Amino acid sequence: MRVPLSWLREYVDFDLSVDELVKAISLHSQEVDGIHRLGVLDGEVVVGEVVEFGPHPNADRLSVAKVDLGGQEVQIVAGAPNPYPGARVPVVLPGSVMADGTKLRKAKLRGLESNGMMMSERELGISNDHSGILLLDESYEVGRQVAEYFPVGETVLELDVNPNRPDLWGMIGVARELAAILGTDFRIPDISFETGGPPTADYGLRVEAEDLCPRYDLRRVSNISPGGRAPLEMRRRIFAAGMRPINAIVDISNFTMLETGQPNHVFDASRVREGIVVRRAKPAEKMKLLDGTTRDLDTDMLVIADEERGLVIAGVMGAEDAEVGNETTDVLIEVATFAGQSIFGTSARLALRTDASGRNERGLDPNMVPFARDRVASLLAEHAGGTIASDTLSHYPEPVDSWEAPLRLGRAELLLGIPVERDEAVGKLEALGCGVQAEDGRISASIPTFRRDLRREADLIEEVGRLFGLGRVPEELPKTSLSGGLTPAQQKVRTLRRLLADLGLAEAITYPFGPDRWRRDLSLESGHEPPTLANPLSAQAREMRSMLLPGLLDAAARNEAFGVESGAIFEVGRVFEARPLPEGKRDAALHFRLTGELNQPGTDAEDGASSFMGVEENQRVGGVLTGAIQPGGWNAPVRRAGFFEAKGIVERLVPGASFSPEVRPFLHPGRSAVVRAGDAAAGWVGELHPETAEKFDLSGGPVAAFELDLAFCDPDPAPRFQPFTNVPAVSRDLAVVVDSGVPAGDMLAAVGKTGSTMLAGARVFDVYEGAQVPEGKKSVALRFAFRGEETLTDEAVNGELDRISLCLRESFGAEVRGD
Amino acid sequence: MAVIERINELESEALAAVSGAGSTGDLESVRVRYLGRSAELTEIKKGIGTLPVDERKQVGGAANRVSRSLEAAIGSRSQDLAGGEREKRLREEAVDVTLPGVPYPKGSLHPTLRIIDDVVDFFVGLGYRIAEGPEVETDYYNFTALNIPPEHPARTMQDTFFLDDGLVLRTHTSPVQIRTMLSQEPPVYVVCPGRTYRRDSDPTHTPMFNQIEGLAVDHGLSLAHLKGTLAAMARHTFGEGAVTRLRPSYFQFTEPSVEMDVSCFVCGGADQNCKVCKGAGWLEMGGAGMVDPAVLSEVGYDPEEFTGFAFGFGPDRMAMVKYGVPDLRLFFEGDLRFLRQF
Ligand SMILES: [Zn+2]
């Protein structure tokens, strides 16, 4: 809602700077979204009379004028051609500051001095018209300040009105609110008029769709002088409030809407056949609207029609057909209230939002109707020479009356945390328009019908709180004795994220939805249809991810495209899988999703709730490594992304994990493994299949990746003390030659199973394939640590090493090398 | 006596050799030559037993004196030489300390999650726990239970992503509050961080963003407790000087509803051209309010017995403000040039 301050002052007095006003409104009522300035911010605008007007000697497009400013004649160079000797014009004097902050100076234009500027409507903030200089009529006295006739500068506050306050979509409502904040009075314009002319009842009124139209009023105004313009000040206000002045009738209609918050419609009575019918649209009904578009209506939409055709999409926009024009002399004023949700739905389905629909969709106060109706009528009489019919037609079968809402002072004090004095609370509620009765600690407020948001005690407490000022509320902390904390699972995620960051990975958050290309490019089997969005922003963001991988690959490709070929990123996030509903339970599931109710006899509540979700979410951690994941240095080698770089990370995340080859379509068939924690599959690790890398536009060499179910990760396993002795360990190496295909991990596992009491550690420290060993063979160098209760003899250690050699020979055909 | 003279000769010879030794190695040779097993002086000592009795004492005494004198001289010379050599070695071992160290890996944590972790830790200190819930949520938990019935305009204002009938991507983390209240009795003190989704995409909105909401339900909670909690959090996040103010607002599930502002931590309101607060002096932190009695009733709590407050922040925006990030979209692109800065 745009609130021009000069207009606001018509209804309420306030002596505040703009900053103070903004603060008062934003701290007690609505957010102020912006401050707009129009016209002349500071300086003088004087009524001048053009004495001479002619072409500029040195410029084709400029004119030069001599203007009498009341005893003083100045020369002004102008761009517009419309002034003429004798015309009265607004002249802004040098030194004045315009709305955009520029300061007007004396200037020389093509050799001639210009001492000020004649102003267009746009420069004065009256309209967007910049085609010529605004010509003033005879009532403007030469030499006087234009500001004595209308404001030459305007400040407009843009209020972000909360949806529960439709009353603030009108100037009067804003004035009432400001008066309540400031503890002062406000004024509502007096409406008085004489009546005559042909009666409204020449036309009929029939409301067929009563459920969508609680009130509908008509009043006729005839004998209007055709083709008139609204007074300048009215046009200026309409423009400042963000609308476009059109003609006297439309402007008066809009002015009243802006003033009262109540939309209205003015029909050219001569085009209405027989009478007004309020009905739902007919099947396949179309309407050509004022904005030039033709709309297909549906039968849920409310239409204002005559006996022959639709005239208005109720509360939204009128048809071209019955629009008032320059020849209109006889009108019917419609002021009505509609079911807000219906207007909202119509406006949404037609993608058509107007000043009227925005107000109507909130559901307006039917008791506001007569005031707005007669305000339009009286303004038409005053400014367009109309004659107001003595009768009105009104359909208002169920009058709405004010209702009572209670307020216990003790309850208010409890919720607000401040003392609430009865008299002060009563005063605030009265300022809002409530009738208030108070007895002891109880208040009963009779709520005016324009405040439909005030129903319950909590609503009144909010009003009292904000008008008292939330600045009064002290700062306290709850005195709870609960101990807070993270669950072990939550702590684990923390530790894991920090560990990955410490290992050099960058944490990312990527979108959980993407294109169906993801599944194709990963060659995932179809059949496992993922959950999809019914209304994605684009087809590229339609499918919920079943893996973190594709989003991370897209990110890596994007990085590569931007010249960052190397890096490691990880994400902790959810993946989603569709889970079929239990047989024959779709209705029960829908019921649960919409109401939270599980009305299935014999179903365990928890079980039912999760099976009715239809989507299963799992937490995963995934990572992608590309290029030089660790840059080399003058004294350190480069570390490049590869299977073992990713595996090393996985080993930190899932201590004790076992790895065995497993083919996945998107991974290198010889460089991928399933990760097992105990017997359970915890995820996978591998190098990306070159084809997959290509599909994801990754061309910079091997890409390694891993993805693990968070439940199996244990980045910081609970420590358990292992006793140790001070006897030093004896280290022995053993190099064996085995077939290339023998997994080193199996060899270590076999060694572990020899049951040696001395063996304190075993690891692979070298693997060699090449000229030094036969074709199809590899040399595996193992290093063992032996430790005993006391210093081990060579004899004992050698014996143990022999047992190990024997075991390796028997299990893997290993030959001991290098003797 | 010729032997004694020889001993004295050896002494002067040896002392000269000691002072002439240029390295600890040379000195060791000198020691071997004059004091070693087959040194002349050693031979003399070994032969003392064969000497006439009256000479033995004199020769023995002289030999021992010279041995001690040489040992002392060698010891002292050795210290001098070793010290010099160590100094030389250290000089030779000097490195260019301006060369970079061995590159240990340096990763990063997402800026939003840094904020979330920090805020969560603060509330844990106040006795809160973390509550979590699904990102694919039912219509009921996301809307109806929060006092936003079907057809309510607030639903379309939230630009919801829909999935299968009755399922949405949660538009806020508020359904977690509902799930929490349904699963336990008061007192409740929880924070709910997580991803949320709205069908919105422009420079200041992304279809995914993060929220942290908090909920407290207990005996006797008031707006003052809410204000105190938010103010303490603001001081924790933005420094002890941070001042908090509440403005009235509107949310379906709170009544009264408030908006929370924090004084600008950059300019404190003193700079009309401040880039962070745009001259306003205040930063919008989030919405809050006292839990609407209708919501308490919906989850089976007695609103006459318990009151509560709820609040919500946008940790992405907090991160933008705190770290000076100009564009929200950067948070979700996985761009290493961005991520590595945190
Ligand atoms: Zn600032």
Side-chain angles (χ1 to χ4, degrees):
Chain A
M1 171 75 185
R2 285 170 61 111
V3 179
L5 296 188
S6 72
W7 191 357
L8 186 60
R9 286 179 195 279
E10 183 168 325
Y11 314 105
V12 58
D13 299 323
F14 52 93
D15 183 20
L16 301 172
S17 70
V18 172
D19 281 351
E20 288 166 341
L21 182 66
V22 166
K23 201 172 166 192
I25 293 174
S26 57
L27 288 183
H28 294 95
S29 180
Q30 311 294 303
E31 194 166 339
V32 179
D33 247 4
I35 302 168
H36 307 283
R37 317 262 185 192
L38 297 170
V40 179
L41 282 190
D42 188 28
E44 280 188 87
V45 183
V46 177
V47 180
E49 186 171 82
V50 178
V51 180
E52 290 175 27
F53 192 80
H56 191 293
N58 308 325
D60 290 346
R61 300 235 172 108
L62 296 179
S63 307
V64 58
K66 291 253 171 6
V67 183
D68 175 8
L69 299 179
Q72 183 204 359
E73 199 172 285
V74 297
Q75 173 172 283
I76 295 175
V77 177
N82 67 321
Y84 52 87
R88 295 197 178 173
V89 293
V91 175
V92 58
L93 302 185
S96 301
V97 180
M98 310 299 286
D100 61 4
T102 56
K103 192 168 183 176
L104 193 72
R105 294 171 201 287
K106 280 190 191 175
K108 265 203 166 159
L109 292 168
R110 294 285 182 113
L112 288 186
E113 208 168 84
S114 186
N115 296 292
M117 185 174 81
M118 294 184 279
M119 302 183 81
S120 68
E121 291 203 356
R122 188 169 84 192
E123 284 157 348
L124 277 165
I126 296 168
S127 76
N128 262 330
D129 185 358
H130 194 50
S131 62
I133 304 302
L134 169 64
L135 302 180
L136 302 169
D137 64 36
E138 298 290 306
S139 66
Y140 291 81
E141 248 176 73
V142 176
R144 289 185 76 164
Q145 297 287 329
V146 174
E148 291 174 30
Y149 299 91
F150 61 84
V152 295
E154 184 68 88
T155 301
V156 183
L157 300 190
E158 177 107 41
L159 300 193
D160 185 3
V161 176
N162 287 324
N164 62 334
R165 294 299 303 276
D167 60 305
L168 297 182
W169 278 99
M171 296 297 299
I172 292 175
V174 174
R176 180 192 295 112
E177 184 82 353
L178 183 59
I181 293 168
L182 301 179
T184 137
D185 293 328
F186 76 109
R187 304 172 283 275
I188 293 178
D190 228 8
I191 302 176
S192 55
F193 48 80
E194 287 172 8
T195 57
T200 313
D202 285 354
Y203 293 87
L205 170 62
R206 191 167 78 251
V207 178
E208 292 176 358
E210 280 194 342
D211 54 328
L212 301 183
C213 181
R215 177 162 190 170
Y216 195 98
D217 277 26
L218 283 174
R219 186 160 207 158
R220 184 175 184 181
V221 179
S222 55
N223 202 21
I224 292 171
S225 12
R229 288 182 88 187
L232 187 147
E233 174 58 2
M234 183 180 286
R235 284 187 279 128
R236 194 192 66 81
R237 288 181 178 185
I238 289 170
F239 180 71
M243 296 186 78
R244 212 158 45 91
I246 311 247
N247 60 42
I249 300 173
V250 173
D251 290 355
I252 284 168
S253 165
N254 285 336
F255 179 87
T256 305
M257 174 176 75
L258 293 168
E259 181 179 64
T260 60
Q262 169 67 56
N264 57 80
H265 194 85
V266 183
F267 297 101
D268 186 328
S270 69
R271 302 199 199 177
V272 174
R273 322 270 156 82
E274 295 179 51
I276 295 291
V277 182
V278 181
R279 57 164 170 82
R280 284 180 163 80
K282 292 171 182 162
E285 183 166 356
K286 288 181 194 299
M287 201 182 289
K288 184 163 190 206
L289 300 182
L290 276 174
D291 63 0
T293 63
T294 299
R295 305 294 184 131
D296 293 313
L297 308 183
D298 67 50
T299 52
D300 287 333
M301 294 177 180
L302 188 66
V303 164
I304 313 300
D306 59 17
E307 293 294 344
E308 293 175 15
R309 72 223 200 277
L311 303 174
V312 180
I313 300 175
V316 180
M317 193 182 271
E320 221 174 31
D321 226 14
E323 182 54 16
V324 293
N326 283 334
E327 66 294 341
T328 303
T329 58
D330 190 1
V331 300
L332 288 170
I333 302 161
E334 162 204 295
V335 184
T337 49
F338 305 110
Q341 275 174 19
S342 161
I343 302 293
F344 178 77
T346 299
S347 161
R349 288 201 294 286
L350 294 174
L352 184 63
R353 280 183 62 86
T354 60
D355 290 290
S357 72
R359 289 173 169 84
N360 279 316
E361 73 189 24
R362 291 175 165 89
L364 295 173
D365 171 21
N367 296 329
M368 176 68 87
V369 167
F371 178 85
R373 180 194 68 206
D374 292 344
R375 181 69 166 156
V376 176
S378 70
L379 289 173
L380 282 174
E382 188 181 343
H383 298 298
T387 304
I388 301 168
S390 62
D391 64 327
T392 58
L393 295 179
S394 181
H395 177 89
Y396 188 25
E398 289 172 40
V400 175
D401 206 353
S402 68
W403 53 91
E404 297 290 315
L407 173 66
R408 292 165 294 171
L409 294 174
R411 180 77 181 171
E413 291 186 338
L414 167 65
L415 274 172
L416 297 173
I418 50 172
V420 177
E421 295 292 333
R422 189 181 72 182
D423 291 349
E424 194 181 3
V426 168
K428 296 299 182 194
L429 293 175
E430 282 175 342
L432 293 173
C434 298
V436 182
Q437 287 190 308
E439 197 179 314
D440 300 331
R442 279 175 173 273
I443 286 175
S444 181
S446 160
I447 311 296
T449 51
F450 56 80
R451 288 301 303 273
R452 303 173 98 169
D453 57 315
L454 302 183
R455 294 280 171 188
R456 309 161 306 164
E457 183 174 45
D459 303 328
L460 294 186
I461 290 173
E462 177 171 67
E463 298 304 288
V464 168
R466 70 184 179 86
L467 290 178
F468 275 30
L470 299 174
R472 279 196 207 174
V473 177
E475 295 178 3
E476 291 170 20
L477 283 176
K479 292 166 190 61
T480 171
S481 53
L482 293 178
S483 63
L486 276 62
T487 64
Q490 291 163 344
Q491 188 57 56
K492 186 170 81 177
V493 176
R494 277 271 185 103
T495 310
L496 173 140
R497 289 175 39 235
R498 272 161 212 270
L499 171 63
L500 287 172
D502 286 344
L503 291 175
L505 285 79
E507 184 176 31
I509 297 179
T510 66
Y511 289 99
F513 35 67
D516 56 4
R517 167 183 75 74
W518 275 0
R519 277 187 302 141
R520 276 201 311 281
D521 290 352
L522 293 177
S523 316
L524 298 181
E525 31 189 311
S526 52
H528 268 72
E529 293 298 318
T532 53
L533 298 180
N535 57 339
L537 276 169
S538 80
Q540 297 306 304
R542 196 176 83 88
E543 293 195 354
M544 298 303 290
R545 64 183 175 194
S546 59
M547 298 173 75
L548 301 180
L549 180 67
L552 292 173
L553 289 178
D554 277 352
R558 194 174 171 282
N559 279 313
E560 190 182 297
F562 283 114
V564 190
E565 290 91 357
S566 294
I569 51 177
F570 78 96
E571 177 172 13
V572 173
R574 317 254 180 111
V575 297
F576 303 82
E577 288 207 44
R579 197 168 135 178
L581 294 173
E583 196 75 26
K585 296 289 185 192
R586 184 161 179 86
D587 287 347
L590 277 183
H591 183 74
F592 164 72
R593 294 171 183 177
L594 295 177
T595 65
E597 291 166 11
L598 287 166
N599 56 359
Q600 267 188 311
T603 312
D604 173 53
E606 264 315 298
D607 204 47
S610 58
S611 68
F612 286 169
M613 289 299 290
V615 174
E616 192 177 312
E617 296 180 21
N618 284 300
Q619 271 203 305
R620 294 260 183 94
V621 55
V624 165
L625 287 61
T626 57
I629 52 167
Q630 199 179 315
W634 62 279
N635 57 351
V638 177
R639 182 177 287 167
R640 296 200 165 277
F643 177 85
F644 293 103
E645 283 65 31
K647 180 178 172 181
I649 295 170
V650 171
E651 285 171 328
R652 288 293 300 275
L653 300 184
V654 191
S658 62
F659 297 79
S660 48
E662 191 173 89
V663 175
R664 271 162 222 270
F666 51 89
L667 292 179
H668 186 304
R671 297 185 174 187
S672 65
V674 60
V675 181
R676 282 183 211 287
D679 289 335
W684 54 263
V685 57
E687 279 178 31
L688 211 58
H689 198 294
E691 259 178 46
T692 314
E694 214 169 280
K695 285 175 181 162
F696 278 88
D697 290 327
L698 285 160
S699 55
V703 176
F706 64 89
E707 189 157 329
L708 302 167
D709 197 324
L710 219 47
F712 296 107
C713 293
D714 194 4
D716 186 22
R720 173 114 198 129
F721 174 73
Q722 298 288 336
F724 51 85
T725 65
N726 289 330
V727 179
V730 179
S731 170
R732 286 295 170 86
D733 293 349
L734 181 69
V736 295
V737 174
V738 291
D739 287 348
S740 295
V742 173
D746 292 3
M747 292 166 67
L748 287 177
V751 170
K753 281 182 191 148
T754 55
S756 166
T757 52
M758 287 179 220
L759 189 64
R763 64 188 179 92
V764 176
F765 74 93
D766 190 35
V767 177
Y768 173 80
E769 272 179 280
Q772 306 292 315
V773 291
E775 181 98 8
K777 299 273 185 185
K778 66 180 173 188
S779 160
V780 178
L782 303 159
R783 179 161 296 165
F784 302 103
F786 299 100
R787 188 184 276 124
E789 294 287 312
E790 46 204 82
T791 309
L792 295 172
T793 61
D794 274 0
E795 205 183 354
V797 172
N798 289 341
E800 207 64 10
L801 210 53
D802 287 345
R803 280 200 333 132
I804 289 172
S805 305
L806 184 65
C807 155
L808 292 176
R809 181 175 312 141
E810 283 174 352
S811 309
F812 306 102
E815 286 170 43
V816 176
R817 211 180 154 224
D819 298 311
Chain B
M1 208 185 297
V3 181
I4 301 233
E5 263 168 45
R6 181 61 192 149
I7 289 174
N8 289 338
E9 252 174 51
L10 280 171
E11 181 180 18
S12 358
E13 212 178 289
L15 286 176
V18 166
S19 25
S23 70
T24 49
D26 286 355
L27 191 62
E28 178 61 14
S29 317
V30 171
R31 194 189 64 76
V32 171
R33 179 141 49 93
Y34 292 101
L35 295 173
R37 252 185 255 178
S38 49
E40 196 178 340
L41 189 61
T42 314
E43 293 299 326
I44 291 171
K45 281 185 181 172
K46 284 183 197 156
I48 284 174
T50 66
L51 289 176
V53 178
D54 57 338
E55 286 182 23
R56 286 183 195 171
K57 195 170 179 186
Q58 269 186 302
V59 172
N64 282 340
R65 182 190 57 77
V66 170
S67 284
R68 280 197 299 275
S69 139
L70 287 183
E71 267 160 19
I74 288 171
S76 143
R77 179 70 185 152
S78 165
Q79 267 192 353
D80 289 353
L81 286 173
E85 281 171 16
R86 193 184 312 112
E87 262 173 49
K88 179 160 173 280
R89 194 173 67 243
L90 292 178
R91 257 197 313 280
E92 287 166 357
E93 284 172 356
V95 297
D96 177 357
V97 298
T98 65
L99 283 170
V102 172
Y104 289 95
K106 154 91 177 73
S108 56
L109 291 170
H110 193 280
T112 297
L113 294 170
R114 279 180 176 275
I115 298 280
I116 289 181
D117 288 351
D118 182 57
V119 171
V120 162
D121 286 347
F122 168 78
F123 281 103
V124 162
L126 292 185
Y128 287 63
R129 294 186 163 272
I130 303 180
E132 295 169 290
E135 291 175 19
V136 173
E137 192 46 282
T138 69
D139 180 286
Y140 173 77
Y141 287 118
N142 194 74
F143 292 120
T144 309
L146 290 157
N147 217 10
I148 310 172
E151 307 296 322
H152 194 281
R155 286 190 173 212
T156 31
M157 278 161 57
Q158 299 206 349
D159 295 317
T160 312
F161 281 115
F162 297 99
L163 293 99
D164 188 23
D165 294 340
L167 296 181
V168 301
L169 284 183
R170 66 180 178 196
T171 58
H172 40 203
T173 51
S174 314
V176 182
Q177 300 185 22
I178 298 297
R179 288 174 175 272
T180 303
M181 289 190 280
L182 283 171
S183 71
Q184 70 165 98
E185 292 297 318
V188 176
Y189 289 86
V190 291
V191 277
C192 321
R195 302 188 195 196
T196 51
Y197 304 89
R198 289 186 197 177
R199 205 174 171 284
D200 221 347
S201 190
D202 61 47
T204 56
H205 295 91
T206 47
M208 170 179 68
F209 56 101
N210 290 276
Q211 276 197 339
I212 311 178
E213 292 191 333
L215 169 73
V217 183
D218 206 339
H219 289 286
L221 290 183
S222 75
L223 202 57
H225 294 116
L226 170 62
K227 192 176 182 181
T229 301
L230 296 180
M233 197 208 83
R235 287 192 294 271
H236 169 80
T237 307
F238 296 108
E240 277 305 312
V243 176
T244 306
R245 74 173 186 186
L246 302 182
R247 284 179 290 116
S249 189
Y250 170 74
F251 304 105
Q252 279 294 117
F253 34 96
T254 51
E255 187 87 32
S257 300
V258 297
E259 202 82 36
M260 170 206 176
D261 295 340
V262 176
S263 56
C264 176
F265 64 93
V266 173
C267 75
D271 180 3
Q272 279 297 308
N273 300 314
C274 175
K275 285 220 170 66
V276 170
C277 67
K278 312 248 182 332
W282 295 95
L283 299 168
E284 288 187 20
M285 289 305 303
M290 302 304 294
V291 182
D292 195 292
V295 173
L296 292 176
S297 301
E298 182 70 24
V299 297
Y301 291 1
D302 179 358
E304 284 294 309
E305 185 181 355
F306 296 104
T307 53
F309 59 78
F311 53 85
F313 303 107
D316 306 312
R317 290 199 189 277
M318 287 168 78
M320 287 175 80
V321 168
K322 189 162 179 177
Y323 304 126
V325 181
D327 189 335
L328 178 64
R329 290 172 295 191
L330 286 167
F331 284 79
F332 309 121
E333 287 169 339
D335 192 323
L336 282 164
R337 296 168 300 177
F338 173 75
L339 298 176
R340 281 176 178 158
Q341 298 184 28
F342 299 94

